[in-house]
Amino acid sequence: MNPSPRPYESYVYAYPHKTAYRPLPDPAPSLAALWRDEPKDALSLYAHIPFCEVRCGFCNLFTRIGAPDELTTRYLDALDRQASAVREALGDRGPVHFATAAFGGGTPTFLTAGELERLCDIAEKRTGVDLRAVPLSVETSPSTATADRLAVLAERGATRLSIGVQSFVEAEARAAVRPQRRADVEGALGRIRETGVPVLNIDLIYGIDGQTDRSWTRSLDAALAWRPEELYLYPLYVRPLTGLGRLAATADREWDEQRLRLYRHGRDHLLARGYEQVSMRMFRRTDAPPQGADDYACQTDGMIGLGCGARSYTSSLHYSFDYAVEMREIRAIIDDYTTTEDFTRARVGRPVDADEARRRHLLQSLLQVRGMETDTYEERFGASPFADFPAELGRFEALGWLDATAPDGLLRLSPEGLAHSDALGPALFSPAVRAAMAAYDPR
């Protein structure tokens, strides 16, 4: 890590990143063998719907615009086949229980109301998850949050609806290649509130060209008018092969300072208005209903991913399908997925050895405001995190990123450490993962 690290190196939402995944050697491992000895009593289910009505300028997610020729039907057919194969692979040697569920994308509400019904049926009838008994989060967008779609999700057990607004200022939305009318955004928010789903999350972005402290405050206050239970504040990134990536030059220090300033302003604005900080990005209203299962821990429990953009996690292997950002490549991967008949093997992924498991546990714990209890780490890995990562944690401490006031036995970030989460996270990547990511050919 450089003496003066840039604050926005990479958003670490999963480790290892999919650009470190590679085709697995033949014979490809069977899902039944991968899951045979895994604990399956607190799984997370994620269904990925890779369709959007528009491609935002900042987006590098695995998604395509539109779905011609009954593509959504063929995609759900494949999702049905995959879900059946996965459930068979999980077996019946022990209890199979899902603690959480989520539909993401893309935009799940790109599907029609009838298709959303089918998606819920696939999740319940094929995998066995009870969507009304676990927290169910679903992503939506202003143009697809229609009353009929939202009614299906509410009736089928959705407990959280997350809408990507990005900015309530129309000029800023256009600058981010996310053209939308403020009236349409407000209409969608009204329909979401009418469903009675207990948690509304609103995503906002800072660092947009032309954005000022004043316009950022306007967006924050427009979101706060809906009293959302959660707010996510994302720094804008310009990534290769995205709409903005084709137009913009390399990020500079001036932009770093703008984003840091807007982050701190947004953080303080929300903290002063009844919100608590959960991570660098996530803020929750202090009186909001609890979300998530108390017995589910992303650091240790398995993930079942359905769809060609979803990841699955076992203790020894993370696996998915091929990954791309460029639209032509994404379309080819989706087409290949819809014609796949055999979903019994993992084809693309990355093994997770003991060192990577340590890094992942530390990453996913430390990037949360609550931090990590060192006893829990030591019980799992047999050593102190300070013994396993002396250089990294020593560097974080020297930079003032660790909270010196944390109680004994708790490793926690300082406010400055949280502000630099997107530099701290990548600093914990292993050399092997860094090399694999650097060798990835963006396409």
Side-chain angles (χ1 to χ4, degrees):
M1 193 164 59
N2 294 328
S4 179
R6 302 286 294 269
Y8 298 105
E9 181 177 336
S10 177
Y11 170 27
V12 183
Y13 57 89
Y15 180 79
H17 190 269
K18 281 179 77 172
T19 54
Y21 289 18
R22 293 294 184 272
L24 297 171
D26 288 328
S30 73
L31 301 191
L34 287 173
W35 286 99
R36 181 176 297 120
D37 298 320
E38 293 288 310
K40 298 181 279 286
D41 58 341
L43 297 171
S44 180
L45 177 70
Y46 178 75
H48 181 256
I49 305 301
F51 306 110
C52 288
E53 71 279 10
V54 296
R55 176 87 165 187
C56 301
F58 50 83
C59 179
N60 73 336
L61 298 177
F62 187 90
T63 186
R64 61 160 292 165
I65 302 169
D69 304 321
E70 297 185 338
L71 180 57
T72 54
T73 297
R74 290 184 280 119
Y75 186 83
L76 289 173
D77 289 344
L79 198 77
D80 197 332
R81 295 193 297 273
Q82 184 191 6
S84 297
V86 167
R87 181 60 188 87
E88 184 174 354
L90 292 176
D92 297 308
R93 294 178 61 186
V96 176
H97 172 72
F98 288 89
T100 66
F103 301 155
T107 309
T109 48
F110 180 92
L111 301 177
T112 66
E115 289 170 333
L116 286 170
E117 288 274 16
R118 186 180 179 199
L119 175 62
C120 293
D121 284 343
I122 291 170
E124 292 196 329
K125 296 177 181 179
R126 299 294 183 257
T127 70
V129 63
D130 185 349
L131 295 178
R132 294 180 179 86
V134 301
L136 170 60
S137 177
V138 185
E139 297 173 8
T140 189
S141 68
S143 64
T144 62
T146 59
D148 58 339
R149 293 175 169 107
L150 296 175
V152 168
L153 296 173
E155 194 279 327
R156 296 302 294 262
T159 56
R160 178 180 182 269
L161 293 173
S162 178
I163 184 169
V165 173
Q166 320 316 347
S167 177
F168 284 86
V169 179
E170 292 183 7
E172 291 179 2
R174 288 194 298 273
V177 196
R178 175 64 183 268
Q180 61 191 13
R181 295 192 313 134
R182 168 83 178 262
D184 294 336
V185 173
E186 301 282 357
L189 289 166
R191 290 188 294 275
I192 291 172
R193 278 307 195 199
E194 287 171 2
T195 65
V197 169
V199 175
L200 162 66
N201 173 72
I202 298 176
D203 289 346
L204 298 176
I205 285 181
Y206 55 90
I208 300 170
D209 186 35
Q211 193 174 45
T212 64
D213 291 18
R214 185 174 180 180
S215 67
W216 179 225
T217 302
R218 284 173 57 195
S219 270
L220 291 166
D221 287 340
L224 289 171
W226 291 96
R227 301 202 74 241
E229 285 72 24
E230 295 176 3
L231 276 159
Y232 271 73
L233 309 185
Y234 288 96
L236 180 64
Y237 274 92
V238 173
R239 300 178 175 96
L241 302 183
T242 64
L244 292 177
R246 294 185 176 93
L247 302 174
T250 303
D252 56 21
R253 293 280 181 176
E254 184 178 351
W255 191 31
D256 286 347
E257 289 304 315
Q258 179 208 20
R259 286 180 287 179
L260 270 177
R261 185 186 74 251
L262 293 174
Y263 159 76
R264 292 178 174 128
H265 177 71
R267 175 198 63 195
D268 295 346
H269 198 74
L270 296 185
L271 293 179
R273 285 158 179 80
Y275 286 77
E276 61 182 349
Q277 189 168 16
V278 179
S279 68
M280 172 189 167
R281 288 164 170 75
M282 182 182 178
F283 296 80
R284 180 185 293 126
R285 215 177 70 209
T286 53
D287 62 345
Q291 275 291 289
D294 292 338
D295 59 349
Y296 178 77
C298 64
Q299 298 92 333
T300 56
D301 293 324
M303 165 80 80
I304 296 295
L306 301 178
C308 57
R311 315 159 190 257
S312 296
Y313 305 148
T314 70
S315 59
S316 61
L317 181 73
H318 291 188
Y319 61 92
S320 183
F321 296 87
D322 205 359
Y323 174 72
V325 176
E326 203 277 326
M327 189 59 65
R328 181 181 66 254
E329 300 284 349
I330 291 174
R331 286 196 294 263
I333 294 170
I334 293 173
D335 289 344
D336 181 65
Y337 174 82
T338 62
T339 59
T340 297
E341 295 293 335
D342 181 5
F343 287 101
T344 62
R345 295 185 178 273
R347 305 289 180 180
V348 177
R350 186 167 189 89
V352 178
D353 61 17
D355 176 65
E356 299 293 14
R358 286 175 166 83
R359 292 177 183 276
R360 182 170 182 260
H361 187 107
L362 182 59
L363 264 173
Q364 293 187 305
S365 303
L366 199 54
L367 294 181
Q368 302 295 308
V369 165
R370 64 178 178 268
M372 183 186 76
E373 295 180 357
T374 55
D375 285 351
T376 302
Y377 181 96
E378 291 175 13
E379 288 170 9
R380 182 179 179 192
F381 298 112
S384 161
F386 295 96
D388 286 341
F389 301 100
E392 293 90 339
L393 293 177
R395 182 65 172 161
F396 299 162
E397 185 175 23
L399 288 166
W401 290 356
L402 300 183
D403 183 1
T405 69
D408 289 344
L410 182 64
L411 186 58
R412 187 171 65 193
L413 295 184
S414 66
E416 195 64 10
L418 282 169
H420 287 79
S421 291
D422 286 3
L424 185 150
L428 289 171
F429 291 3
S430 71
V433 164
R434 283 184 171 275
M437 292 175 66
Y440 175 78
D441 184 18
R443 56 189 183 87

